Amino acid sequence: MFPTVREILALDPIRHGAPRLVAGEAGLDRPVRWVHVAEVPDIASLLRGGELVLTTGIGLPGEDAGLRAFIGELADVGVSGLVVELGRRYVSGVPRVMAAAAARRGLPLVELRRATPFVRVTEAVHALIVDAQLTELRATEEIHQRFTELSVEGAGPAEVVRQAAELSGCPVVLENLSRQVLAYDPAGQSAELLLDGWEQHSRRISPPGRTAYDVDRGWLVTTVGARGQDWGRLLLRWPGGGELTTGAPVPDGAPEPGPADVAPPPQAPPTRLTILVERAASALALGRLIRRDAEGLERQIHRTLLTALLDHSRPVDEVALRARALGVVLERRHLVGVVVRYRGDEPAADGTPPEGPGPVDPEAGPARLRDLSEAVGQALREAKLTGLSSAVDDQSVGVLLALPDPAAEERALAGFAAALRRNRVDAAGPRAAEPAPARTPEPARGSGAGAVIVAAGSGVGSLREARRSLVEARQVADAARRDRRDLPIFRLPHVGLAGLLHLLRDEPRLQTFVERELGALLAYDARHPREQLLGTLRAYLEQGRNKSAAAAAAHLSRPAFYERLARIARILDADLDSVEVCLSLHVALLALDAVRAP
């Protein structure tokens, strides 16, 4: 908030006096709280520290011991610097003993080689101090207002970090306790340079305290957490520093020089930046508490990146960079999209199970999906696989596996499926010390609503093709829901005709085919909801056109079933004894199921 000695030496009133730094260059970045004019040797008792003292020297002691004591008292009280105007007491320069004492104590000592009205110096410096204070207050007010709005709006970590970088003009990084990057904003600088080797670099940044500045590495760091549970750090890059070196004497009549250049130690960040990172950390902690029942931050980032690949919302290079900062390398890897989903959907809003009778699954809804997501994550860790994993919709968990080479694909998928099956079985079993609940989730086998399907797309060699593998895996998983085989991994060749029709369900020509074959019967059932002749036709075709078996499957007498078949033939104007006609109708029924599938 206060100007430094270095900045004051650059002011016009000081430059007019042709300043020359005599000693104490290491202290040029000390802040100046006030300017005080003094002509008596015992001025130290009237000071509080942080002052820049101006003097002509006419009242200073004449003996060396007195000058050393004068410099020592100023240093002890913590003044920022001493400026001596030459001409009245000292003509060619300050005494050597004064310069030596100032050098020993690190006190900046400056000569003014031309007559300088001190009032102009004090006016300029005090105006600078007041302006700086007002600027700091305005900046602090904006910081408080901005982060209060973000907290109220429930802004996510990426937005909080972006706002922090925008307000500070500095790169900002949010990391977890494992030094993995959760969000960042390079503030216009190179993100590649910022995040390259981040974990190793971050572990070297360890200033003491909850909020502190690492002088050696130039990072302002604050801990992020609440209620005694810290979960990350927010880091702001502040290199600080400036330049000023010792200059040579300026002869009379020479051009007015500015302060010389010295390489100073890095200066601490201004108070407003400390306030900024602490307010940003508070907004992040509050957001975490608000979303404590939602996904973890890491999983949110995974979901953001997977979604970005599926809908092209971010450039592929940015996805790769953010994934690498999170510890997942996607470049130069063999990538395989995997989708895991329950074979049965969650219950409807009225509590009716989506498929068949039975009690409602108690893990339905978001909790059910979260459990599956956690099981997938655990399976990845057990199989020692690397990749992005997160829920990609209300029913499915997506995974993008990053493998070292194509030869590892089958082995990796088999290991993942086996680990997932173990996790699901372990999670489903009742605890030995407790009675079994009324209904336990089924293991990942068979066709129950608790069973899961693992589907994999074709492996690809670049991140730009990863979307194709993920989309294929999602389509295979959807198609496999109607396949009752217990396969550990479903791939595209496994889906059969029903799966093919499911993959083509959004194709207008397939929908037109369904309407052409079954439209009349669907319209009839809509007008006569009690009859539902479509079910009769389905039973007939699924029983291989065996009318007796079909009547039994439909729970109808044979005369009633025959009468219904005749009515269906009239409505569709079709020969139901023709193999070719029935094949076409059966394909249309399978296509209708695919079109109606959620």
Side-chain angles (χ1 to χ4, degrees):
M1 183 166 61
F2 296 111
T4 63
V5 176
R6 186 189 308 275
E7 292 170 337
I8 289 175
L9 294 181
L11 294 174
D12 288 341
I14 292 286
R15 290 170 60 88
H16 176 76
R20 184 169 74 93
L21 182 64
V22 176
E25 57 267 28
L28 287 172
D29 289 304
R30 293 177 178 175
V32 175
R33 186 182 57 81
W34 203 246
V35 178
H36 196 89
V37 179
E39 298 295 354
V40 293
D42 57 350
I43 188 62
S45 62
L46 304 177
L47 303 177
R48 294 189 300 152
E51 295 88 356
L52 181 67
V53 177
L54 308 180
T55 183
T56 62
I58 57 175
L60 297 185
E63 68 281 3
D64 290 353
L67 288 176
R68 280 194 291 268
F70 173 71
I71 294 296
E73 291 172 356
L74 292 182
D76 288 342
V77 82
V79 299
S80 299
L82 175 63
V83 177
V84 180
E85 182 190 78
L86 303 182
R88 301 196 180 186
R89 175 68 182 275
Y90 309 118
V91 179
S92 59
V94 299
R96 291 183 179 179
V97 65
M98 181 185 289
R104 281 195 303 271
R105 300 301 298 269
L107 179 68
L109 176 60
V110 179
E111 296 176 344
L112 295 180
R113 303 187 58 78
R114 294 178 183 166
T116 303
F118 285 170
V119 66
R120 292 179 56 196
V121 176
T122 57
E123 286 177 346
V125 175
H126 293 165
L128 197 63
I129 291 172
V130 172
D131 287 346
Q133 289 175 327
L134 288 175
T135 301
E136 196 80 0
L137 287 173
R138 293 191 190 99
T140 302
E141 182 181 359
E142 182 180 0
I143 289 169
H144 283 293
Q145 181 177 353
R146 186 79 64 92
F147 286 107
T148 298
E149 291 174 354
L150 291 175
S151 298
V152 171
E153 294 170 359
E159 179 62 16
V160 173
V161 168
R162 188 188 71 80
Q163 293 284 355
E166 179 181 311
L167 288 171
S168 64
C170 303
V172 178
V173 177
L174 172 65
E175 64 177 17
N176 62 15
L177 297 180
S178 297
R179 304 301 196 268
Q180 294 175 326
V181 177
L182 303 178
Y184 73 94
D185 192 306
Q189 300 183 22
S190 170
E192 189 77 30
L193 293 177
L194 178 69
L195 299 180
D196 186 38
W198 174 259
E199 180 179 346
Q200 292 75 19
H201 178 62
S202 172
R203 292 188 184 280
R204 294 192 291 268
I205 305 171
S206 55
R210 193 168 182 84
T211 300
Y213 178 61
D214 189 318
V215 176
D216 296 332
R217 292 171 178 82
W219 284 93
L220 178 60
V221 185
T222 190
T223 303
V224 183
R227 296 180 178 175
Q229 296 182 347
D230 297 333
W231 51 265
R233 297 197 308 172
L234 188 66
L235 301 94
L236 183 146
R237 176 73 172 141
W238 172 259
E243 294 186 350
L244 190 68
T245 60
T246 305
V250 180
D252 292 339
E256 297 178 1
D261 294 323
V262 184
Q267 70 182 89
T271 305
R272 64 179 177 83
L273 290 187
T274 302
I275 294 173
L276 184 146
V277 296
E278 290 180 339
R279 288 291 287 115
S282 298
L284 290 167
L286 179 60
R288 176 89 163 201
L289 290 175
I290 293 173
R291 296 185 298 272
R292 62 185 178 274
D293 293 329
E295 300 169 300
L297 277 177
E298 294 88 342
R299 201 56 54 205
Q300 290 183 36
I301 302 301
H302 279 230
R303 182 166 190 167
T304 298
L305 297 181
L306 283 176
T307 303
L309 289 174
L310 287 169
D311 60 15
H312 300 296
S313 60
R314 294 175 185 269
V316 171
D317 292 341
E318 181 181 343
V319 172
L321 179 62
R322 295 194 66 179
R324 186 167 70 249
L326 200 59
V328 180
V329 179
L330 299 177
E331 302 100 323
R332 296 185 294 278
R333 293 291 189 274
H334 183 70
L335 305 175
V336 182
V338 178
V339 169
V340 181
R341 65 161 297 149
Y342 286 103
R343 193 177 289 275
D345 292 337
E346 65 183 85
D350 60 359
T352 304
E355 293 183 9
V360 175
D361 190 338
E363 295 186 9
R368 184 170 183 255
L369 183 63
R370 185 165 60 246
D371 290 344
L372 181 60
S373 182
E374 291 174 357
V376 169
Q378 181 63 28
L380 287 173
R381 290 188 291 272
E382 289 185 11
K384 295 181 173 56
L385 297 174
T386 301
L388 301 174
S389 69
S390 171
V392 291
D393 54 40
D394 292 340
Q395 307 293 340
S396 308
V397 176
V399 180
L400 182 63
L401 292 178
L403 306 175
D405 58 74
E409 180 177 324
E410 293 300 327
R411 184 174 64 255
L413 288 173
F416 169 73
L420 180 63
R421 185 175 297 241
R422 286 194 304 271
N423 287 332
R424 294 288 301 154
V425 171
D426 292 343
R431 291 181 285 271
E434 299 177 3
R439 180 177 185 268
T440 57
E442 298 179 32
R445 304 183 66 87
S447 60
V452 295
I453 294 168
V454 181
S458 303
V460 296
S462 72
L463 190 56
R464 297 186 185 280
E465 300 176 281
R467 180 181 185 275
R468 174 167 58 83
S469 184
L470 285 167
V471 170
E472 181 180 309
R474 176 187 276 177
Q475 292 173 336
V476 170
D478 288 344
R481 294 174 59 213
R482 303 188 181 279
D483 191 318
R484 297 309 173 188
R485 290 175 294 175
D486 184 24
L487 299 178
I489 301 284
F490 280 90
R491 307 298 292 266
L492 192 57
H494 297 143
V495 297
L497 176 60
L500 175 63
L501 294 173
H502 188 89
L503 297 180
L504 298 174
R505 62 180 177 171
D506 294 326
E507 171 60 49
R509 285 174 291 184
L510 181 66
Q511 297 170 8
T512 300
F513 168 73
V514 171
E515 289 300 315
R516 183 175 66 246
E517 294 293 315
L518 300 174
L521 189 60
L522 292 171
Y524 181 89
D525 280 354
R527 295 192 301 270
H528 306 85
R530 292 188 177 184
E531 294 189 37
Q532 293 301 305
L533 296 181
L534 188 70
T536 303
L537 177 63
R538 185 187 301 276
Y540 175 64
L541 297 175
E542 287 181 350
Q543 296 300 321
R545 298 187 301 119
N546 184 322
K547 297 179 181 179
S548 297
H555 304 291
L556 294 172
S557 65
R558 279 188 288 180
F561 188 81
Y562 295 162
E563 192 275 330
R564 283 194 172 202
L565 280 183
R567 201 181 320 158
I568 291 171
R570 289 194 302 273
I571 293 171
L572 295 179
D573 191 19
D575 180 6
L576 296 184
D577 291 325
S578 167
V579 174
E580 183 177 350
V581 170
C582 288
L583 175 62
S584 181
L585 289 174
H586 201 176
V587 171
L589 273 175
L590 293 174
L592 177 64
D593 293 340
V595 171
R596 286 178 171 179

